[in-house]
Amino acid sequence: MIDLEELSQLTMFAREGTLSKAAEKLHISQPTLSRTMQNLEEVFGVPLFVRGKNRIELNETGWKAAERAEHLLAEAEDVLRQVREFDKRLHTITVESCAPAPLWSLLPALSGRFPGMTISSSLEEVAQIGAHVAEGVCEMGILPEAVCLEGVRCVPFLREELYVCIPENHELAGCESVTFEMLNGFNCLLRSEIGFWDAMCRRKMPASRFLVQTDEFEMRELILKSSLLCFVTNLSGAGDGGMRGRKTVPIADPEAKVVYHLIYREERKEYEGVCQTLL
């Protein structure tokens, strides 16, 4: 039976060219490595080396053995990875969302419903989420609109509305509501990792420039001390006086008001209870 560890030593010998260098890389003694090479010849049943005084080299068959060993070791690693990933999927519920806010209610609901499972979430492009759920790449998806996909259940569960926060001395501060057209051209602050909201704001306000902030403290300082517009939603209000000196104004465009839909494959009946909890 071929031993993978011995094949690994063979490939190291092929890369390094000498027993001493290969043994040093492998952190084993040179005699130990030499015995491995002898054992491999016995296993293969053919000569693999050209032996000289105090030196051995791979012969043509030995080079072929080392080449095939590389492929076999890579395949073995791939088998290990696939089995581990399969086992991980058995114990993990993966959720892909178009925005962060829906996860704030969904993830605790999943943890409460499935206490023995690991919950993994990520923000993804809207166009990818539906396909990933249908193909089984992820267990659940959150989209900003309803979709109709074969074999996939789609349930509305949360509403989010976008507001703009305007400094009190700004020319738009007197408005009771605004549109993206009215905001277009004004420079704005944006939080990072806000999902589809980022692309939508850029699409609806092509003449505006956006200063994206990853640090929450820096974001709050800029909100307090700059005249740049910024955004909040009914689910992600600033709180703690974070919008002091600013007026929060609703955006009238229908695109600024979304109903999130939870999607999952129809055979996953166990997720119906989660939907009932959220609704």
Side-chain angles (χ1 to χ4, degrees), residues 76 78 107 138 177 254:
D78 190 53
L107 298 187
C138 68
S177 67

Side-chain angles (χ1 to χ4, degrees), residues 84-97:
R84 288 166 180 165
E85 288 183 354
F86 177 79
D87 184 71
K88 182 180 179 181
R89 287 197 298 271
L90 292 179
H91 301 91
T92 304
I93 298 174
T94 53
V95 182
E96 293 184 0
S97 180

Side-chain angles (χ1 to χ4, degrees), residues 2-257:
I2 295 178
D3 184 282
L4 292 180
E5 179 59 31
E6 291 186 346
L7 290 182
S8 179
Q9 293 179 26
L10 175 63
T11 59
M12 181 62 73
F13 174 65
R15 285 195 293 269
E16 296 300 319
T18 67
L19 288 174
S20 59
K21 289 181 179 179
E24 183 179 352
K25 290 282 187 178
L26 293 165
H27 304 291
I28 60 176
S29 68
Q30 187 170 326
T32 298
L33 182 57
S34 181
R35 286 193 296 271
T36 296
M37 299 300 102
Q38 292 172 3
N39 186 57
L40 281 171
E41 279 190 316
E42 294 176 4
V43 171
F44 280 104
V46 295
L48 301 177
F49 306 97
V50 177
R51 289 177 168 82
K53 186 178 180 180
N54 299 321
R55 180 177 179 82
I56 68 170
E57 297 177 351
L58 290 169
N59 62 21
E60 188 174 354
T61 303
W63 282 110
K64 186 64 175 180
E67 177 189 331
R68 297 310 305 163
E70 287 273 12
H71 288 290
L72 185 58
L73 290 168
E75 289 176 4
E77 283 294 324
D78 190 53
V79 168
L80 289 175
R81 179 187 59 79
Q82 290 188 40
V83 170
R84 288 166 180 165
E85 288 183 354
F86 177 79
D87 184 71
K88 182 180 179 181
R89 287 197 298 271
L90 292 179
H91 301 91
T92 304
I93 298 174
T94 53
V95 182
E96 293 184 0
S97 180
C98 63
L103 295 171
W104 302 339
S105 56
L106 176 61
L107 298 187
L110 286 171
S111 295
R113 189 80 177 182
F114 306 100
M117 302 289 284
T118 298
I119 313 300
S120 173
S121 65
S122 62
L123 296 181
E124 303 292 343
E125 297 292 331
V126 171
Q128 296 178 349
I129 295 173
H132 285 176
V133 171
E135 295 166 4
V137 175
C138 68
E139 292 291 304
M140 308 183 82
I142 300 172
L143 295 172
E145 58 190 5
V147 293
C148 183
L149 297 169
E150 185 177 356
V152 173
R153 181 162 165 71
C154 181
V155 182
F157 80 102
L158 188 67
R159 183 180 180 88
E160 187 169 31
E161 299 181 5
L162 189 66
Y163 299 81
V164 62
C165 297
I166 303 173
E168 292 177 342
N169 59 355
H170 194 278
E171 62 185 88
L172 295 178
C175 300
E176 293 304 312
S177 67
V178 294
T179 63
F180 283 119
E181 183 178 359
M182 294 166 64
L183 297 174
N184 189 29
F186 290 107
N187 296 333
C188 304
L189 293 168
L190 274 185
R191 286 181 168 84
S192 63
E193 298 184 356
I194 57 174
F196 81 101
W197 289 117
D198 185 302
M200 191 194 70
C201 288
R202 295 175 189 274
R203 185 177 68 255
K204 299 293 290 186
M205 301 165 59
S208 298
R209 299 184 66 181
F210 298 90
L211 182 61
V212 178
Q213 295 298 301
T214 59
D215 184 272
E216 184 63 25
F217 174 78
E218 292 178 359
M219 180 73 174
R220 287 176 176 269
E221 287 296 298
L222 286 170
I223 289 173
L224 288 172
K225 297 178 181 179
S226 79
S227 60
L228 296 172
L229 304 181
C230 64
F231 300 93
V232 295
T233 75
N234 59 310
L235 302 177
S236 64
D240 302 324
M243 296 298 166
R244 187 169 62 250
R246 288 175 178 259
K247 181 180 178 182
T248 301
V249 179
I251 300 175
D253 301 65
E255 295 92 337
K257 301 171 177 60

